[in-house]
């Protein structure tokens, strides 16, 4: 029996969510200890006896028994989840209550409850994503720190603080309240979007880590879609956007793991099934009047994913989508992408003009791809010296060895 | 062919992340599988619980637990077959326990020759 990739991480997230519903949010650490115990036990037994027939069920049952022990031992010493607390007090109701909490339908909801809990309004977006990765995706503090290219101590502090905020609410977010659910949905969508972006554009040098972040964002979005009130056109658009971007993931780095430019990408590596799924989701996003930034971004990604080459791309429509995006959620990065699309449509001079006119461009000065965009357009109109200077400036801002190598190759391209 | 007992001590990874725990299990399974494929695995053995009783002396005094330090407690055993002690030792070198600072004791099972 082989173990599915990342099975432990995902089960850790599911079991933690279920246990937290049982114990209450203020006992999150206790839930984490139970999960840790269950995994230690799996480690000890499986390394000798091999993986059982149904590893997920084994882990779940072990955690359930451990939770029963803990509850029996500390029944009176603590207070548990407000809505379940009384049921845990008597032996008559204890076992059936735990059975119910650990049923597979209940656990799906618990993952969703935990997702909403992690997107607490009092937490910054980065803390929200860190919590999602740590609690729901089973990343250790070190692994979260690795994904964000942050130090262990800083990440530990961030996660500890965020958990304190969660503990104050005592219980998991209640998804049954429709108004509350809709009010918090945008924050969850945003966090999942940012989680995906961290994988797609993020600074982590390990492409395996980045791919995992994208996969986790897609997995959690799927959970959101499976819950009818969560399956709004905007969530469909978000899922479409992720699929259509993920199409380009395998082509983003070449055979030796180097970043490749959009133009160099081997489109035969793009996954046709992902494109089809992305388009199906985008169609589902198109009912009703909702038009979110995810709709527009998914629209742009769909054009790229289906264009035969960078040259044969409908840049005019892409520019009009970027104009829309600038209305919905303006940012210097969106403006930068728009300027590049304008250059494709009208030529490098127009692109350069747009680049110089970006509002708030001072916020892009530390972003290597702002300078690199100038470099590309100067190179395209034959000004090698200017292009090289821009690429050299970008090189100084590179955030990872992968970016450094990529930009070095662009500097070298100006010499030839 | 002679039989040997591998006794595993220590090598607990402590609070490892789920991903690391999964990788550790996969390494152990790969090692066991490899021993099996080469015909060395007689009995993959069992893990041993950390708790227990110690019964000692003529007065049969019963005390709790193996009193050794955690790193010295036997955590499990495996029965293998090898040509001789040096081959058995060679086989033990592939054990993933060393990555976490554990040890393998290789003990020949005495031959019951007349």
């Amino acid at each position: 029996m082989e173990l599915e990739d990342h099975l432990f991480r995902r089960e850790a997230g599911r079991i933690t969510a279920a246990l937290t519903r049982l114990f209450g949010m203020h006992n999150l650490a206790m839930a984490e200890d139970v999960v840790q115990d269950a995994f230690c036990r799996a480690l000890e037994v499986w390394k000798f006896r091999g993986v059982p027939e149904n590893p997920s069920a084994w882990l779940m049952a072990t955690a359930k028994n451990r939770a029963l022990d803990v509850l029996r031992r500390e029944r009176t010493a603590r207070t548990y989840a407000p809505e379940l607390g009384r049921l845990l007090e008597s032996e008559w109701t204890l076992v059936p209550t735990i059975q119910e909490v650990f049923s597979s339908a209940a656990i799906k909801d618990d993952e969703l409850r935990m997702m909403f809990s992690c997107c607490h309004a009092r937490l910054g977006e980065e803390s929200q994503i860190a919590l999602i990765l740590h609690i729901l995706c089973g990343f250790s503090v070190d692994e979260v720190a690795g994904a964000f290219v942050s130090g262990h101590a800083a990440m530990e502090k961030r996660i500890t603080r965020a958990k304190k905020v969660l503990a104050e609410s005592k219980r998991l977010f209640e998804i049954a309240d429709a108004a509350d659910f809709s009010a918090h949905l945008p924050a969850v969508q945003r966090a999942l979007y940012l989680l995906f972006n961290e994988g797609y554009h993020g600074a982590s040098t390990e492409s395996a880590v980045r791919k995992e972040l994208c996969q986790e964002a897609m997995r959690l979005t799927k959970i959101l879609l499976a819950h009818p009130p969560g399956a709004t056109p905007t969530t469909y658009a978000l899922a479409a956007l992720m699929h259509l971007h993920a199409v380009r993931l395998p082509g983003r780095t070449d055979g030796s793991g180097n970043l490749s430019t959009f133009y160099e990408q081997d489109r035969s590596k793009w996954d046709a099934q992902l494109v089809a799924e992305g388009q199906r989701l985008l169609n589902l996003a198109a009912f009703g009047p909702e038009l979110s930034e995810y709709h527009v971004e998914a629209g742009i990604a769909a054009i790229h994913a289906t264009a035969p080459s960078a040259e044969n791309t409908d840049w005019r429509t892409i520019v009009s989508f970027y104009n829309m995006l600038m209305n919905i959620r303006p940012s210097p990065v969106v403006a930068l992408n728009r300027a590049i699309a304008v250059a494709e449509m009208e030529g490098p001079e127009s692109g350069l003009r747009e680049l110089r006119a970006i509002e708030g461009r001072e916020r892009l000065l530390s972003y290597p791809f702002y300078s690199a965009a100038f470099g590309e357009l100067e190179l395209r109109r034959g000004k090698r010296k200017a292009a090289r200077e821009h690429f050299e400036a970008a090189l100084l801002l590179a955030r990872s060895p992968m970016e450094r190598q990529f930009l070095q190759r662009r500097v070298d391209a100006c010499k030839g | 062919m002679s039989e040997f007992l591998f006794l595993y001590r220590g090598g607990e990874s402590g609070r490892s992340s789920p991903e690391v725990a999964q990788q550790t299990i996969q390494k152990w399974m790969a090692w066991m599988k490899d021993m099996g494929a080469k015909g060395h695995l007689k009995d993959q053995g069992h893990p041993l619980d950390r708790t227990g009783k110690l019964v000692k002396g003529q007065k049969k005094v019963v005390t709790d637990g193996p009193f050794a330090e955690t790193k010295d407690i036997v955590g499990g055993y495996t029965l293998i077959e090898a040509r001789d002690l040096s081959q058995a030792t060679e086989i033990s070198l592939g054990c993933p326990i060393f990555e976490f600072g554990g040890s393998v004791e290789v003990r020949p099972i005495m031959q019951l020759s007349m």
Side-chain angles (χ1 to χ4, degrees):
Chain A
M1 179 81 196
E2 293 286 317
L3 280 173
E4 192 185 309
D5 280 352
H6 314 307
L7 175 97
F8 272 36
R9 273 208 297 95
R10 287 173 184 173
E11 290 303 326
R14 295 177 68 209
I15 302 173
T16 307
L19 288 170
T20 308
R21 184 150 93 86
L22 197 61
F23 295 163
M25 197 54 125
H26 52 298
N27 289 317
L28 176 61
M30 199 169 120
E32 290 178 326
D33 284 345
V34 168
V35 172
Q36 185 72 30
D37 278 353
F39 283 88
C40 275
R41 211 174 154 70
L43 183 59
E44 282 178 357
V45 178
W46 298 5
K47 65 188 184 191
F48 288 101
R49 311 306 301 172
V51 176
E53 196 62 34
N54 185 342
S56 299
W58 193 101
L59 286 166
M60 199 65 83
T62 306
K64 191 159 76 178
N65 290 334
R66 185 86 192 103
L68 262 172
D69 287 348
V70 170
L71 285 169
R72 284 192 179 122
R73 199 179 60 219
E74 300 198 27
R75 196 173 292 169
T76 49
R78 288 172 186 258
T79 54
Y80 297 104
E83 71 276 25
L84 297 174
R86 286 196 44 212
L87 296 169
L88 303 179
E89 282 167 19
S90 119
E91 192 63 33
W92 284 102
T93 45
L94 175 63
V95 175
T97 305
I98 290 185
Q99 296 293 11
E100 194 279 321
V101 167
F102 276 90
S103 70
S104 59
I107 287 181
K108 270 252 157 320
D109 285 351
D110 290 338
E111 286 185 282
L112 199 57
R113 290 187 181 100
M114 185 59 95
M115 211 189 296
F116 275 71
S117 296
C118 289
C119 298
H120 197 288
R122 274 184 43 215
L123 295 174
E125 283 169 343
E126 285 208 14
S127 296
Q128 294 176 358
I129 311 173
L131 271 189
I132 288 178
L133 280 177
H134 179 57
I135 300 178
L136 218 44
C137 307
F139 280 56
S140 68
V141 172
D142 271 330
E143 288 161 355
V144 180
F148 285 113
V149 198
S150 137
H152 172 88
M155 189 49 75
E156 177 99 73
K157 210 164 150 189
R158 161 167 289 169
I159 290 179
T160 308
R161 268 195 204 148
K163 281 182 178 171
K164 278 197 185 124
V165 172
L166 292 195
E168 286 167 22
S169 52
K170 291 234 166 187
R171 57 196 279 177
L172 284 170
F173 183 90
E174 192 36 72
I175 53 172
D177 183 332
D180 221 18
F181 185 90
S182 308
H184 284 85
L185 186 57
V188 174
Q189 289 163 335
R190 178 87 186 146
L192 296 179
Y193 171 77
L194 293 173
L195 177 59
F196 184 87
N197 266 1
E198 192 59 41
Y200 196 72
H201 296 291
S204 174
T205 51
E206 289 191 43
S207 56
V209 170
R210 300 165 44 134
K211 191 175 149 207
E212 268 187 73
L213 297 187
C214 291
Q215 284 173 343
E216 285 305 304
M218 291 168 86
R219 179 177 74 90
L220 297 174
T221 306
K222 207 169 158 190
I223 295 177
L224 195 54
L225 279 178
H227 182 67
T232 63
T234 299
T235 311
Y236 276 115
L238 180 61
L241 155 71
M242 290 177 182
H243 279 78
L244 293 165
H245 271 299
V247 169
R248 278 189 263 164
L249 262 182
R252 278 198 86 215
T253 50
D254 64 19
S256 42
N258 296 315
L259 268 180
S260 41
T261 70
F262 184 64
Y263 302 94
E264 298 164 347
Q265 281 206 14
D266 176 1
R267 292 184 180 222
S268 69
K269 281 189 191 166
W270 293 7
D271 184 338
Q273 229 173 331
L274 266 181
V275 178
E277 178 60 10
Q279 285 181 314
R280 187 187 73 87
L281 290 162
L282 193 54
N283 284 336
L284 288 167
F287 61 87
E290 277 180 54
L291 181 69
S292 64
E293 67 255 44
Y294 313 122
H295 281 90
V296 183
E297 282 196 45
I300 295 170
I303 295 179
H304 284 309
T306 51
S309 68
E311 293 74 25
N312 283 312
T313 298
D314 182 359
W315 290 104
R316 190 164 300 279
T317 309
I318 289 182
V319 170
S320 72
F321 276 150
Y322 275 120
N323 290 340
M324 251 187 242
L325 203 50
M326 284 301 284
N327 280 326
I328 302 174
R329 189 182 271 273
S331 82
V333 174
V334 173
L336 169 59
N337 287 322
R338 184 185 165 277
I340 294 167
V342 168
E344 292 292 347
M345 183 175 76
E346 295 176 358
E349 277 80 13
S350 303
L352 287 165
R353 200 174 53 239
E354 296 288 340
L355 281 179
R356 286 191 206 97
I358 290 174
E359 213 170 305
R361 63 184 177 285
E362 60 283 354
R363 280 163 54 203
L364 291 174
L365 294 180
S366 61
Y367 184 52
F369 292 102
Y370 183 54
S371 295
F374 276 101
E376 291 296 349
L377 298 186
E378 291 291 6
L379 185 61
R380 207 173 295 178
R381 61 174 188 161
K383 306 225 164 173
R384 288 176 182 279
K385 189 167 169 293
R388 185 175 165 177
E389 282 166 13
H390 284 298
F391 283 128
E392 277 166 349
L395 189 57
L396 292 175
L397 298 170
R399 298 161 298 177
S400 70
M402 202 161 79
E403 285 182 0
R404 210 161 293 130
Q405 274 174 21
F406 170 74
L407 292 165
Q408 184 60 54
R409 280 192 288 133
R410 299 313 291 156
V411 170
D412 297 342
C414 301
K415 291 174 187 161
Chain B
M1 279 298 201
S2 308
E3 289 180 7
F4 298 84
L5 193 67
F6 284 178
L7 292 169
Y8 306 105
R9 286 192 171 83
E12 303 306 308
S13 44
R15 277 192 90 96
S16 58
S17 76
E19 191 71 17
V20 172
Q22 178 165 349
Q23 285 164 5
T24 307
I25 288 174
Q26 279 164 331
K27 283 177 193 162
W28 274 84
M29 282 170 31
W31 181 56
M32 291 275 184
K33 196 174 161 190
D34 185 54
M35 287 197 292
K38 291 177 179 155
H40 291 304
L41 199 60
K42 182 91 180 173
D43 177 353
Q44 57 195 18
H46 281 92
L48 299 176
D49 213 285
R50 312 274 130 192
T51 57
K53 294 282 185 190
L54 189 67
V55 189
K56 205 175 177 180
Q58 285 179 331
K59 289 186 177 164
K60 299 172 188 168
V61 180
V62 178
T63 46
D64 277 341
F67 276 109
E69 302 244 352
T70 320
K71 65 175 176 44
D72 297 325
I73 295 178
V74 175
Y77 66 89
T78 303
L79 191 62
I80 72 141
E81 268 187 328
R83 214 168 39 241
D84 50 26
L85 181 59
S86 89
Q87 194 192 23
T89 311
E90 183 69 31
I91 294 166
S92 77
L93 298 181
C95 182
I97 203 168
F98 302 115
E99 282 178 40
F100 300 98
S103 68
V104 181
E105 189 175 315
V106 185
R107 301 286 299 271
I109 307 268
M110 267 200 212
Q111 303 283 340
L112 297 177
S113 51
M114 299 299 244

